[in-house]
Amino acid sequence: MIRIAELAENYGSGEVRLTVWQNLIIPNVPTAFVDTVKKALRRIGFDTKQSHLRSGFIACTGNSYCKFASSNTKGHALEFMDYLDGRVALDQPVNVHLTGCPHSCAQHYMGDIGLLGTKAKVGGESVDGYHVFVGGGFGSNQAVGRQVFTALSAEDTKFTLERMLKSYLTHRENGESFQAWSNRHEVGRLQEMFADG
Ligand code: SF4
């Protein structure tokens, strides 16, 4: 954050804006310095170009810093993005919201895909996991997501996301959005399609 503040001061107007999509904007950078700032940001792990998959992910604080969290939302968001990017080629954003508890700071119910933290059982052990929702939206597409899976382990959630996104790309019509596509189907039919991938 200190390096970002320095970049904003040295090349912009000393201003940094944070967005609801968990991105940051350094405004008022003259065109001549844009490439320099991009390179400096890449060096500290912030890319200015993102895939449709990565740009749609947001996560709440999770169990690193929040006592309410049932799962490591931010860690899993990074893990899921790394796994899915390159395996699923999206041509438009699909919003994936990971939230660690029902307080829903990352608003799982309005993501194309919403993940609500919970504990899951694996071999008698309690592990981080997620309930999975689809079809939420906002603005002119406002809708509350419907639950399609219950208490998957985080590991299972990762593979399930892959099957869900591949299933969407296979079955959608005329380039429709994930939300439009998923909301055309009953939960049972979605579960069948998601099982096939
Ligand atoms: S959704 Fe729950 S776990 Fe996540 S930051 Fe908010 S209160 Fe904490």
Side-chain angles (χ1 to χ4, degrees):
M1 293 310 292
I2 288 169
R3 183 68 184 125
I4 288 166
E6 282 172 358
L7 290 171
E9 255 179 20
N10 293 341
Y11 296 102
S13 50
E15 206 180 320
V16 177
R17 299 176 191 164
L18 304 178
T19 77
V20 292
W21 292 105
Q22 298 186 326
N23 295 313
L24 56 87
I25 296 169
I26 303 174
N28 303 316
V29 176
T31 306
F33 295 136
V34 167
D35 280 341
T36 306
V37 174
K38 281 182 177 177
K39 274 186 205 146
L41 286 169
R42 268 199 299 278
R43 275 200 292 273
I44 56 170
F46 289 87
D47 209 327
T48 52
K49 278 193 182 161
Q50 293 293 0
S51 64
H52 286 302
L53 188 122
R54 282 181 185 270
S55 60
F57 265 77
I58 61 167
C60 81
T61 303
N63 63 10
S64 300
Y65 298 103
C66 178
K67 66 180 180 181
F68 296 114
S70 295
S71 55
N72 178 14
T73 48
K74 283 205 190 296
H76 291 143
L78 290 170
E79 182 188 330
F80 296 170
M81 286 188 296
D82 287 344
Y83 175 78
L84 294 168
D85 223 5
R87 286 182 168 82
V88 184
L90 294 175
D91 54 9
Q92 57 185 290
V94 173
N95 299 324
V96 182
H97 295 206
L98 289 86
T99 206
C101 81
H103 291 128
S104 195
C105 296
Q107 300 179 319
H108 66 280
Y109 49 81
M110 58 182 271
D112 292 311
I113 298 175
L115 304 178
L116 170 59
T118 186
K119 289 297 176 197
K121 288 279 180 210
V122 175
E125 295 278 313
S126 178
V127 298
D128 285 9
Y130 293 94
H131 302 307
V132 182
F133 298 73
V134 296
F138 53 93
S140 55
N141 297 320
Q142 63 182 272
V144 173
R146 293 173 297 159
Q147 188 166 346
V148 288
F149 297 112
T150 300
L152 303 180
S153 69
E155 187 77 352
D156 265 0
T157 306
K158 181 171 73 180
F159 300 129
T160 300
L161 282 176
E162 180 181 6
R163 288 198 305 275
M164 290 169 71
L165 293 171
K166 285 182 172 169
S167 175
Y168 155 62
L169 292 175
T170 302
H171 296 289
R172 69 178 174 175
E173 290 174 8
N174 304 317
E176 65 191 332
S177 68
F178 185 94
Q179 190 206 24
W181 171 74
S182 59
N183 283 341
R184 283 199 292 109
H185 299 288
E186 296 297 325
V187 167
R189 177 64 188 131
L190 286 170
Q191 288 167 334
E192 283 170 16
M193 288 190 283
F194 293 156
D196 293 341

mmCIF file of all heavy atoms in Angstrom, residues 108 114-119 129-133 147-152 157:
data_model
loop_
_atom_site.group_PDB
_atom_site.id
_atom_site.type_symbol
_atom_site.label_atom_id
_atom_site.label_comp_id
_atom_site.label_asym_id
_atom_site.label_seq_id
_atom_site.Cartn_x
_atom_site.Cartn_y
_atom_site.Cartn_z
ATOM 1 N N HIS A 108 -23.130 -12.537 -1.370
ATOM 2 C CA HIS A 108 -23.179 -13.767 -2.172
ATOM 3 C C HIS A 108 -24.490 -13.919 -2.913
ATOM 4 O O HIS A 108 -24.544 -14.510 -3.986
ATOM 5 C CB HIS A 108 -22.956 -14.985 -1.263
ATOM 6 C CG HIS A 108 -24.051 -15.200 -0.269
ATOM 7 N ND1 HIS A 108 -24.129 -14.480 0.904
ATOM 8 C CD2 HIS A 108 -25.122 -16.026 -0.295
ATOM 9 C CE1 HIS A 108 -25.205 -14.878 1.568
ATOM 10 N NE2 HIS A 108 -25.823 -15.807 0.868
ATOM 11 N N GLY A 114 -22.641 -17.281 -6.069
ATOM 12 C CA GLY A 114 -22.390 -16.837 -4.707
ATOM 13 C C GLY A 114 -21.908 -18.005 -3.866
ATOM 14 O O GLY A 114 -22.459 -19.107 -3.952
ATOM 15 N N LEU A 115 -20.858 -17.787 -3.080
ATOM 16 C CA LEU A 115 -20.341 -18.823 -2.185
ATOM 17 C C LEU A 115 -20.461 -18.313 -0.763
ATOM 18 O O LEU A 115 -19.895 -17.275 -0.422
ATOM 19 C CB LEU A 115 -18.873 -19.129 -2.520
ATOM 20 C CG LEU A 115 -18.585 -19.550 -3.967
ATOM 21 C CD1 LEU A 115 -17.092 -19.775 -4.170
ATOM 22 C CD2 LEU A 115 -19.367 -20.805 -4.335
ATOM 23 N N LEU A 116 -21.211 -19.037 0.050
ATOM 24 C CA LEU A 116 -21.432 -18.653 1.446
ATOM 25 C C LEU A 116 -20.664 -19.615 2.340
ATOM 26 O O LEU A 116 -20.931 -20.832 2.330
ATOM 27 C CB LEU A 116 -22.931 -18.697 1.760
ATOM 28 C CG LEU A 116 -23.327 -18.546 3.230
ATOM 29 C CD1 LEU A 116 -22.834 -17.215 3.812
ATOM 30 C CD2 LEU A 116 -24.850 -18.647 3.382
ATOM 31 N N GLY A 117 -19.714 -19.102 3.102
ATOM 32 C CA GLY A 117 -18.855 -19.931 3.936
ATOM 33 C C GLY A 117 -19.620 -20.767 4.943
ATOM 34 O O GLY A 117 -20.602 -20.329 5.528
ATOM 35 N N THR A 118 -19.135 -21.994 5.137
ATOM 36 C CA THR A 118 -19.713 -22.894 6.127
ATOM 37 C C THR A 118 -18.640 -23.928 6.461
ATOM 38 O O THR A 118 -17.553 -23.894 5.901
ATOM 39 C CB THR A 118 -20.973 -23.583 5.578
ATOM 40 O OG1 THR A 118 -21.573 -24.346 6.622
ATOM 41 C CG2 THR A 118 -20.667 -24.521 4.417
ATOM 42 N N LYS A 119 -18.936 -24.821 7.374
ATOM 43 C CA LYS A 119 -18.029 -25.943 7.604
ATOM 44 C C LYS A 119 -18.565 -27.159 6.862
ATOM 45 O O LYS A 119 -19.783 -27.369 6.810
ATOM 46 C CB LYS A 119 -17.889 -26.235 9.102
ATOM 47 C CG LYS A 119 -17.101 -25.154 9.840
ATOM 48 C CD LYS A 119 -15.666 -25.070 9.319
ATOM 49 C CE LYS A 119 -14.877 -23.950 9.962
ATOM 50 N NZ LYS A 119 -13.666 -23.602 9.197
ATOM 51 N N GLY A 129 -15.673 -24.736 3.974
ATOM 52 C CA GLY A 129 -16.492 -25.103 2.824
ATOM 53 C C GLY A 129 -17.437 -23.985 2.428
ATOM 54 O O GLY A 129 -17.393 -22.880 2.995
ATOM 55 N N TYR A 130 -18.316 -24.309 1.479
ATOM 56 C CA TYR A 130 -19.238 -23.292 0.953
ATOM 57 C C TYR A 130 -20.585 -23.891 0.546
ATOM 58 O O TYR A 130 -20.640 -25.007 0.024
ATOM 59 C CB TYR A 130 -18.629 -22.620 -0.307
ATOM 60 C CG TYR A 130 -17.411 -21.807 0.025
ATOM 61 C CD1 TYR A 130 -16.142 -22.377 -0.072
ATOM 62 C CD2 TYR A 130 -17.521 -20.505 0.482
ATOM 63 C CE1 TYR A 130 -15.008 -21.646 0.282
ATOM 64 C CE2 TYR A 130 -16.391 -19.766 0.832
ATOM 65 C CZ TYR A 130 -15.152 -20.346 0.724
ATOM 66 O OH TYR A 130 -14.036 -19.624 1.075
ATOM 67 N N HIS A 131 -21.652 -23.119 0.780
ATOM 68 C CA HIS A 131 -22.917 -23.331 0.097
ATOM 69 C C HIS A 131 -22.813 -22.550 -1.220
ATOM 70 O O HIS A 131 -22.223 -21.464 -1.256
ATOM 71 C CB HIS A 131 -24.087 -22.755 0.900
ATOM 72 C CG HIS A 131 -24.210 -23.324 2.298
ATOM 73 N ND1 HIS A 131 -24.264 -24.686 2.550
ATOM 74 C CD2 HIS A 131 -24.303 -22.707 3.509
ATOM 75 C CE1 HIS A 131 -24.386 -24.872 3.857
ATOM 76 N NE2 HIS A 131 -24.403 -23.699 4.460
ATOM 77 N N VAL A 132 -23.416 -23.080 -2.277
ATOM 78 C CA VAL A 132 -23.256 -22.456 -3.600
ATOM 79 C C VAL A 132 -24.603 -21.967 -4.124
ATOM 80 O O VAL A 132 -25.589 -22.711 -4.120
ATOM 81 C CB VAL A 132 -22.639 -23.466 -4.601
ATOM 82 C CG1 VAL A 132 -22.420 -22.811 -5.967
ATOM 83 C CG2 VAL A 132 -21.326 -24.031 -4.062
ATOM 84 N N PHE A 133 -24.638 -20.713 -4.567
ATOM 85 C CA PHE A 133 -25.848 -20.076 -5.099
ATOM 86 C C PHE A 133 -25.587 -19.634 -6.537
ATOM 87 O O PHE A 133 -24.444 -19.319 -6.892
ATOM 88 C CB PHE A 133 -26.213 -18.838 -4.269
ATOM 89 C CG PHE A 133 -26.529 -19.130 -2.826
ATOM 90 C CD1 PHE A 133 -25.517 -19.457 -1.926
ATOM 91 C CD2 PHE A 133 -27.834 -19.086 -2.373
ATOM 92 C CE1 PHE A 133 -25.797 -19.747 -0.594
ATOM 93 C CE2 PHE A 133 -28.140 -19.366 -1.039
ATOM 94 C CZ PHE A 133 -27.112 -19.700 -0.146
ATOM 95 N N GLN A 147 -29.951 -21.447 -4.164
ATOM 96 C CA GLN A 147 -28.928 -22.388 -3.697
ATOM 97 C C GLN A 147 -28.973 -23.662 -4.531
ATOM 98 O O GLN A 147 -30.032 -24.265 -4.705
ATOM 99 C CB GLN A 147 -29.153 -22.711 -2.216
ATOM 100 C CG GLN A 147 -28.010 -23.525 -1.628
ATOM 101 C CD GLN A 147 -28.040 -23.565 -0.109
ATOM 102 O OE1 GLN A 147 -28.753 -22.799 0.530
ATOM 103 N NE2 GLN A 147 -27.253 -24.452 0.471
ATOM 104 N N VAL A 148 -27.799 -24.070 -5.036
ATOM 105 C CA VAL A 148 -27.729 -25.301 -5.825
ATOM 106 C C VAL A 148 -26.916 -26.401 -5.140
ATOM 107 O O VAL A 148 -27.104 -27.575 -5.445
ATOM 108 C CB VAL A 148 -27.167 -25.051 -7.254
ATOM 109 C CG1 VAL A 148 -28.176 -24.331 -8.116
ATOM 110 C CG2 VAL A 148 -25.849 -24.283 -7.222
ATOM 111 N N PHE A 149 -26.001 -26.027 -4.256
ATOM 112 C CA PHE A 149 -25.229 -27.035 -3.530
ATOM 113 C C PHE A 149 -25.075 -26.616 -2.076
ATOM 114 O O PHE A 149 -25.063 -25.420 -1.766
ATOM 115 C CB PHE A 149 -23.829 -27.221 -4.136
ATOM 116 C CG PHE A 149 -23.847 -27.735 -5.548
ATOM 117 C CD1 PHE A 149 -23.442 -26.931 -6.604
ATOM 118 C CD2 PHE A 149 -24.277 -29.027 -5.831
ATOM 119 C CE1 PHE A 149 -23.462 -27.390 -7.906
ATOM 120 C CE2 PHE A 149 -24.313 -29.496 -7.129
ATOM 121 C CZ PHE A 149 -23.894 -28.678 -8.168
ATOM 122 N N THR A 150 -24.958 -27.610 -1.192
ATOM 123 C CA THR A 150 -24.881 -27.359 0.247
ATOM 124 C C THR A 150 -23.587 -27.943 0.822
ATOM 125 O O THR A 150 -23.261 -29.110 0.538
ATOM 126 C CB THR A 150 -26.098 -28.018 0.948
ATOM 127 O OG1 THR A 150 -27.280 -27.443 0.404
ATOM 128 C CG2 THR A 150 -26.065 -27.790 2.448
ATOM 129 N N ALA A 151 -22.880 -27.109 1.563
ATOM 130 C CA ALA A 151 -21.724 -27.550 2.363
ATOM 131 C C ALA A 151 -20.721 -28.406 1.583
ATOM 132 O O ALA A 151 -20.402 -29.521 1.988
ATOM 133 C CB ALA A 151 -22.219 -28.289 3.609
ATOM 134 N N LEU A 152 -20.239 -27.859 0.470
ATOM 135 C CA LEU A 152 -19.125 -28.504 -0.237
ATOM 136 C C LEU A 152 -17.827 -28.081 0.446
ATOM 137 O O LEU A 152 -17.705 -26.940 0.893
ATOM 138 C CB LEU A 152 -19.065 -28.034 -1.698
ATOM 139 C CG LEU A 152 -20.299 -28.231 -2.569
ATOM 140 C CD1 LEU A 152 -20.017 -27.691 -3.978
ATOM 141 C CD2 LEU A 152 -20.695 -29.695 -2.620
ATOM 142 N N THR A 157 -15.493 -27.291 -3.907
ATOM 143 C CA THR A 157 -16.043 -26.063 -4.480
ATOM 144 C C THR A 157 -15.244 -25.650 -5.706
ATOM 145 O O THR A 157 -15.806 -25.241 -6.731
ATOM 146 C CB THR A 157 -16.036 -24.921 -3.439
ATOM 147 O OG1 THR A 157 -16.717 -25.370 -2.274
ATOM 148 C CG2 THR A 157 -16.694 -23.669 -3.980
#
